């Protein structure tokens, strides 16, 4: 865990807001252990109590944080509502490491928008089966390419394999992350299929950070088990998110996909989004812009419904994006 933190830019002496949850999911305790071993000061706050947390971010002058990307975006919004400006009142916060769910490039960039100049949004990757968010992390160089390093190859053997043939993929090709834990005593796994799909970097062993033995791979493209097939076209929720986060007037962290029934073949789907409060575009204009871009990029015509900000559910952990409507 400490290797992951170092890769993301955490340093001894940092004051760390630890915003992951505690429970059967191992994220929170794993980060706690890593921060302690790093020699940083840990504030194990977890998710929730947003109004209090945004004041602590100002008063305690945290230098780094580690939490769900949706929770960090939500905290920045709550701060503004409370009269706290993250650009000035959180100016000591230089790094926000996020994990616990897949992150698209648009969402990763959106995290940094309200923050002070010099703030870095970094991404981590892991699974409870591996022992926490300890499989991958972005460095200052790979982050700019929306990529991460496979970090702990002496304790976790991570392979990127073709999901059909289970053969290794080549540079630039998409594969599924398959892991084997090499020293885990409780519930070890052998060639465990995560179902997470990534793209092996075109130059996996060529990073200016010096971690040339630890290959680079993309942010999570999607999951083989959350794939939708709409009128014969394969659609991943992450593709929809990328369009929403890049659309002017749309709220980046609030959206859902509604499908009428769970089948291999779907006739269509409805995407629900929110319009930012005070946006110049009307709800109909935001919906039309998203529908046009989705059709242009994916080749599928979605019904898009746009609500006012605050209508759709918020998540402090992993978001539920695809909902089955009876």
């Amino acid at each position: 865990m400490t290797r992951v933190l170092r890769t993301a830019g955490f340093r001894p002496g940092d004051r760390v807001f630890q915003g992951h949850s505690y429970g059967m999911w191992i994220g929170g305790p794993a980060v706690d252990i890593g921060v302690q071993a790093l020699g940083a000061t840990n504030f194990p706050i977890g998710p929730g109590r947003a109004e209090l947390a945004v004041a602590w971010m100002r008063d305690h002058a945290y230098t780094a944080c580690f939490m769900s990307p949706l929770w960090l975006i939500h905290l920045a919004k709550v701060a503004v509502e409370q009269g706290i400006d993250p650009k000035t009142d959180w100016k000591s916060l230089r790094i926000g490491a996020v994990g616990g769910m897949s992150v698209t490039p648009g969402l990763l960039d959106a995290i940094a928008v309200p923050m002070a100049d010099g703030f870095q949004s970094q991404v981590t990757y892991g699974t409870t089966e591996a022992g926490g968010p300890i499989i991958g992390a972005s460095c200052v160089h790979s982050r700019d390419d929306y990529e991460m390093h496979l970090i702990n190859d002496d304790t976790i053997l991570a392979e990127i394999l073709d999901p059909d043939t289970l053969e290794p993929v080549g540079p630039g090709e998409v594969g599924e992350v398959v892991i084997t834990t090499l020293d885990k005593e409780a519930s070890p796994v052998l060639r465990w299929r995560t179902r997470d799909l990534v793209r092996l970097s075109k130059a996996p062993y060529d990073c200016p950070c010096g971690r040339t033995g630890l290959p680079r791979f993309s942010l999570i493209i999607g999951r083989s088990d959350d794939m939708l097939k709409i009128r014969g076209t394969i659609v991943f929720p992450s593709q929809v998110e990328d369009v929403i986060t890049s659309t002017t007037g749309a709220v980046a962290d609030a959206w859902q996909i509604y499908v009428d029934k769970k089948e291999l073949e779907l006739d269509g789907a409805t995407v629900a989004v929110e319009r930012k409060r005070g946006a110049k575009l009307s709800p109909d204009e935001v919906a039309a812009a998203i529908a046009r871009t989705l059709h242009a990029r994916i080749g599928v015509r979605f019904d898009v419904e746009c609500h006012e900000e605050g209508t759709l559910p918020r998540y402090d952990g992993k978001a539920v994006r695809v909902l089955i409507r009876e």
Side-chain angles (χ1 to χ4, degrees):
M1 189 69 241
T2 302
R3 293 174 181 172
V4 167
L5 294 170
R6 291 288 303 204
T7 302
F10 288 59
R11 295 293 180 264
D14 273 333
R15 295 182 297 279
V16 181
F17 181 129
Q18 202 299 96
H20 277 312
S21 61
Y22 296 86
M24 293 302 291
W25 183 66
I26 196 64
V31 178
D32 288 349
I33 293 169
V35 172
Q36 182 180 12
L38 177 65
T41 302
N42 187 44
F43 293 80
I45 298 167
R49 299 178 297 173
E51 291 78 7
L52 185 58
V54 298
W56 286 349
M57 295 278 270
R58 176 196 61 202
D59 299 341
H60 297 171
Y62 301 121
T63 58
C65 63
F66 202 137
M67 63 186 71
S68 155
L70 298 182
W71 187 236
L72 184 51
I73 289 174
H74 180 65
L75 287 179
K77 290 181 179 179
V78 172
V80 173
E81 293 170 359
Q82 298 291 320
I84 296 172
D85 185 356
K87 288 187 181 297
T88 55
D89 296 320
W90 295 358
K91 61 183 179 181
S92 60
L93 187 67
R94 72 177 199 282
I95 293 174
V98 297
M101 58 175 286
S102 61
V103 182
T104 62
L107 189 64
L108 187 61
D109 289 341
I111 293 169
V113 171
M115 303 300 184
D117 292 342
F119 174 87
Q120 297 178 10
S121 54
Q122 298 286 4
V123 63
T124 65
Y125 170 65
T127 67
T128 293
E129 291 77 10
I134 54 177
I135 297 176
S138 60
C139 68
V140 66
H141 301 284
S142 60
R143 184 258 176 264
D144 290 340
D145 295 325
Y146 306 110
E147 293 183 343
M148 296 177 272
H149 287 276
L150 288 173
I151 294 298
N152 291 303
D153 61 350
D154 58 340
T155 57
I156 305 166
L157 175 63
E159 304 171 272
I160 301 178
L161 308 179
D162 183 294
D164 296 322
T165 66
L166 295 182
E167 293 295 324
V169 301
E173 295 179 346
V174 173
E176 179 181 336
V177 180
V178 178
I179 63 169
T180 297
T181 53
L182 302 178
D183 67 354
K184 190 167 182 276
E185 296 182 6
S187 303
V189 293
L190 175 63
R191 302 200 86 186
W192 183 75
R193 299 184 62 171
T194 66
R195 304 296 178 183
D196 293 325
L197 300 176
V198 300
R199 185 183 304 277
L200 185 61
S201 175
K202 292 182 178 179
Y205 298 99
D206 183 16
C207 187
C209 77
R211 296 176 177 86
T212 54
L214 304 172
R216 284 169 44 162
F217 65 105
S218 72
L219 304 184
I220 306 300
I221 296 171
R223 289 180 54 85
S224 59
D225 56 1
D226 73 2
M227 178 184 73
L228 302 173
K229 186 178 284 187
I230 301 175
R231 291 190 291 276
T233 300
I234 292 175
V235 178
F236 291 107
S238 59
Q239 294 174 293
V240 176
E241 180 178 71
D242 219 24
V243 170
I244 294 170
T245 56
S246 62
T247 300
T248 301
V251 176
D253 59 324
W255 58 275
Q256 312 246 229
I257 300 174
Y258 302 124
V259 295
D260 290 331
K261 50 187 176 179
K262 196 171 184 180
E263 297 178 347
L264 287 177
E265 292 286 349
L266 301 172
D267 289 332
T270 299
V271 176
V273 299
E274 290 183 352
R275 168 185 172 270
K276 286 182 179 177
R277 194 173 292 110
K280 293 181 179 180
L281 297 179
S282 69
D284 287 344
E285 289 172 326
V286 172
I290 291 173
R292 283 195 304 270
T293 307
L294 286 172
H295 182 246
R297 291 191 187 179
I298 303 175
V300 173
R301 294 191 185 278
F302 291 86
D303 293 327
V304 180
E305 54 186 46
C306 184
H307 306 274
E308 291 299 338
E309 187 169 357
T311 304
L312 299 175
R314 263 53 176 183
Y315 301 92
D316 56 22
K318 189 172 293 187
V320 179
R321 294 307 192 190
V322 180
L323 298 178
I324 311 301
R325 295 198 296 197
E326 297 297 336

